Amino acid sequence: MHKKTDQDRLSEIASAVQRNGGVSIAAARELGVSKDVIHRALKTLGISGKDLVEGRVAPPKREVLPLPERGKIARYIFTAAQSNTNVNDAVWENLTALAYVYEARILVSRFTYKKEAYGAKAVKPGKAATASDMADLWFDARIEPFVYDQSLEVAPGLVWCGEMQISPTAVRPLSGLDSYTGRASSIFPHTKIAMESVASHKTEATKFMYTTGAVTLGNYIAKKAGQKAEFHHAYGGRLVDVDSDGNWWCRQLNADSEGTIHDLTWRAKGGQVTEGNWGEGVNWGDIHVGTVPTEVFEACWGERGMARALRPKYQFFHDVLDFRGQNHHDRHNPHLRFKKYLTGESDVLGELAQVALFLQATRVAGTKSVVVDSNHDNAFKRWLREHDYRSDPQNALVFLRAQLAVYEAIYDRNEDFHVVEWQLRKIAPELSSVRFLRCDESFVICPDANGGIECGMHGHLGVNGSKPSVHSFSKMGRKANVGHTHSASIHDGLYTAGVIGSLDQGYNVGPSSWSHSNVITYANGKRAVITLWGGRWRA
């Protein structure tokens, strides 16, 4: 090493020591050399590891993007790129084409991944690091004009964490980052598409954490961690729209195996962007009829709402019946029962009539309405099993008539009988076109897209009778769209919608992670979570 005169190599070693906090042994691992080589190089430069250690009292100041002019929309596309890896040509072509049409600025965060540390005896035969992996650090030249590796305030309450380095093999890339940006929502560069809702005070907007997906090819170590990560490697980015008032909307741009990217009714394919590409399905957040704010209803089903703009083949309703009037949770609360009596909320037939009116008002030409079997809908069945009609004269007739229908169905061996469907069709026979799913009934859309997406689960029934959780559902190996939690999220192939009803249902006291969020599924099986802000679903 004393004979080494290549200044670039010496600088490279010094930089590695600096990145590793002055620890020579860590730098040696990174460079694939011995610790003695590091020490001799530093001696040649006349410095020590400690000389290279820097520090600061506070993080670097975050740049703040200006808001667009009044009436204008600013758009940004955030994505990630891996070191020593080529860009996916088709994805990059379509992403840049979409950015051109949207007049969006692309920002790419770079991250490093050290494959060369694993030799031929550490991985599957024939899967050792390539010459490209062993080369000095490099990035695809096409991303260079768009690189932004710093923290950036995109809009009030939204931060791009371009400085973050998260291993591409991280199973839960957002783990531990809940408070990283304080109260602001955050976008982190990572190869996986993920989303988390973070609880906030009920007087504040819900905080979100997002990842981006990547524009570089899958390039992983042929060991368990790398092979798992390659399976979940997602191409694309995250689109953010910002209006002049500082409101922002954020959506996933998830490319399929051919690099095609759908966004709302737009499609980028082969570098060409076309409009008029309608959605396959919308999984609305849990409905809870009687609590839906007017501006939310208009944003979803109004003249300029999501349903009419996206024209999906299917729309899925979860917890369409709230059953607030006689819910079993309130049975032993005399104060709340008296309040409901005064406000007229204890009328079961009146609430069922509201549901019928809602299902009629949300009809969209060319869209099939599907009601998913849900726990709040099933509260009606539980009421029939447990309630004493003799102490409830207001609801005695609807109780006895429904009870008789249930008993007659049992007597007739009619296993397909659905008492909620039966009651709603009695109120409104024109609901014959609405599909009511039974418990555990499957409804798969986009079956040709890697097995399709299950839309028949509400999310209230856990695996093997256990308590339900998004983590257990995500292990099923079947992509699915669910509801129930009211907290929007993306965990591997599981997308969870939020709530369409009020963000304050009375029983959710304390901090909340609920939001007015829906899941849109495109014709190619790719999905996005669309969250409403201020009664609007897009800028």
Side-chain angles (χ1 to χ4, degrees):
M1 190 65 185
H2 290 292
K3 296 180 181 179
K4 183 79 172 180
T5 57
D6 186 348
Q7 190 63 36
D8 289 338
R9 179 59 174 167
L10 292 174
S11 298
E12 180 187 11
I13 292 174
S15 297
V17 175
Q18 185 178 32
R19 282 195 302 274
N20 288 279
V23 181
S24 298
I25 190 168
R29 288 198 196 100
E30 179 182 324
L31 295 171
V33 299
S34 70
K35 188 169 67 172
D36 289 340
V37 170
I38 298 291
H39 287 162
R40 288 196 293 270
L42 295 180
K43 186 175 180 180
T44 300
L45 292 170
I47 58 176
S48 68
K50 292 182 179 180
D51 295 327
L52 294 170
V53 179
E54 297 179 354
R56 51 178 175 255
V57 174
K61 190 174 182 180
R62 180 180 294 147
E63 181 184 348
V64 178
L65 285 174
L67 295 178
E69 297 176 4
R70 178 62 58 183
K72 300 290 186 180
I73 302 296
R75 290 188 171 90
Y76 308 93
I77 296 176
F78 300 94
T79 188
Q82 181 175 322
S83 60
N84 296 58
T85 307
N86 291 320
V87 161
N88 182 317
D89 294 331
V91 172
W92 185 250
E93 181 182 37
N94 290 326
L95 198 70
T96 52
L98 200 60
Y100 178 79
V101 171
Y102 284 170
E103 298 183 359
R105 176 185 174 186
I106 298 176
L107 296 95
V108 182
S109 177
R110 303 169 299 179
F111 66 91
T112 57
Y113 181 56
K114 184 175 171 58
K115 290 183 65 182
E116 63 270 27
Y118 294 84
K121 293 184 178 180
V123 296
K124 283 282 188 179
K127 300 293 184 179
T130 65
S132 179
D133 296 322
M134 301 293 289
D136 292 340
L137 187 69
W138 62 272
F139 289 90
D140 195 306
R142 284 170 286 183
I143 71 164
E144 292 300 334
F146 309 98
V147 168
Y148 198 94
D149 291 333
Q150 292 80 42
S151 181
L152 176 69
E153 182 179 299
V154 183
L158 180 65
V159 174
W160 164 238
C161 301
E163 79 283 3
M164 182 59 67
Q165 164 85 10
I166 304 174
S167 172
T169 61
V171 177
R172 295 284 174 254
L174 294 172
S175 176
L177 296 173
D178 307 65
S179 60
Y180 182 73
T181 54
R183 276 290 307 130
S185 295
S186 48
I187 303 174
F188 295 94
H190 196 262
T191 59
K192 203 174 193 179
I193 287 182
M195 174 183 176
E196 295 277 4
S197 297
V198 181
S200 309
H201 195 280
K202 283 168 66 174
T203 60
E204 300 177 303
T206 296
K207 173 182 175 178
F208 295 104
M209 298 191 298
Y210 309 97
T211 60
T212 57
V215 291
T216 44
L217 295 166
N219 185 16
Y220 295 89
I221 295 166
K223 295 176 75 69
K224 180 181 178 181
Q227 290 161 330
K228 285 167 54 182
E230 188 163 19
F231 177 80
H232 292 291
H233 186 95
Y235 295 111
R238 186 161 292 278
L239 174 69
V240 176
D241 293 349
V242 182
D243 70 11
S244 55
D245 293 324
N247 300 307
W248 54 269
W249 292 263
C250 188
R251 300 189 296 274
Q252 293 78 25
L253 299 177
N254 192 359
D256 62 21
S257 58
E258 296 179 351
T260 301
I261 300 173
H262 283 257
D263 180 52
L264 304 182
T265 61
W266 296 86
R267 183 185 69 180
K269 182 177 182 180
Q272 301 296 316
V273 179
T274 58
E275 198 177 9
N277 300 277
W278 314 122
E280 186 72 14
V282 173
N283 287 71
W284 303 110
D286 291 6
I287 304 299
H288 299 283
V289 159
T291 74
V292 180
T294 301
E295 66 272 16
V296 174
F297 183 92
E298 288 299 315
C300 294
W301 296 281
E303 288 301 317
R304 301 183 66 184
M306 280 182 59
R308 301 187 191 283
L310 302 179
R311 303 186 197 178
K313 289 183 181 178
Y314 305 99
Q315 57 176 339
F316 298 92
F317 297 108
H318 294 248
D319 276 341
V320 64
L321 171 64
D322 185 69
F323 210 68
R324 179 176 297 266
Q326 297 294 327
N327 195 284
H328 59 276
H329 293 296
D330 306 332
R331 186 177 302 154
H332 302 296
N333 187 334
H335 299 156
L336 187 55
R337 289 180 64 191
F338 182 62
K339 180 180 178 181
K340 290 178 180 179
Y341 165 74
L342 292 177
T343 58
E345 290 180 296
S346 57
D347 181 3
V348 170
L349 189 59
E351 187 174 353
L352 286 162
Q354 280 186 302
V355 173
L357 287 172
F358 174 86
L359 290 175
Q360 293 178 74
T362 55
R363 288 185 297 185
V364 178
T367 299
K368 177 75 173 178
S369 294
V370 181
V371 176
V372 179
D373 187 75
S374 308
N375 58 303
H376 275 259
D377 297 344
N378 290 331
F380 183 43
K381 301 177 186 178
R382 181 168 179 169
W383 182 64
L384 295 176
R385 292 195 304 268
E386 301 177 355
H387 190 62
D388 185 354
Y389 69 94
R390 294 172 300 178
S391 62
D392 184 11
Q394 181 185 24
N395 296 304
L397 286 178
V398 65
F399 179 94
L400 291 169
R401 287 165 180 160
Q403 192 75 281
L404 177 61
V406 170
Y407 272 87
E408 287 180 336
I410 295 172
Y411 181 81
D412 294 336
R413 308 296 194 272
N414 183 3
E415 300 291 341
D416 193 51
F417 181 74
H418 192 295
V419 67
V420 176
E421 178 184 13
W422 170 86
Q423 184 67 76
L424 291 174
R425 294 203 197 286
K426 277 179 63 68
I427 296 171
E430 55 269 33
L431 293 180
S432 58
S433 62
V434 177
R435 172 84 175 270
F436 289 82
L437 300 183
R438 274 45 178 173
C439 180
D440 287 338
E441 183 177 357
S442 175
F443 198 105
V444 175
I445 62 174
C446 302
D448 296 330
N450 297 318
I453 299 165
E454 177 62 69
C455 294
M457 296 193 308
H458 173 56
H460 64 300
L461 302 175
V463 177
N464 295 325
S466 64
K467 186 177 180 180
S469 74
V470 292
H471 295 293
S472 62
F473 290 144
S474 66
K475 297 177 182 178
M476 292 174 57
R478 161 75 75 184
K479 294 179 181 178
N481 297 335
V482 299
H484 186 56
T485 68
H486 297 184
S487 300
S489 67
I490 301 174
H491 289 85
D492 299 337
L494 184 80
Y495 281 56
T496 304
V499 59
I500 289 299
S502 172
L503 297 179
D504 187 352
Q505 293 285 329
Y507 57 81
N508 59 313
V509 295
S512 173
S513 56
W514 295 7
S515 66
H516 295 305
S517 297
N518 310 300
V519 178
I520 172 71
T521 301
Y522 299 114
N524 64 350
K526 296 303 179 181
R527 293 165 286 174
V529 175
I530 298 180
T531 299
L532 278 60
W533 292 106
R536 292 156 61 193
W537 63 282
R538 59 179 173 180

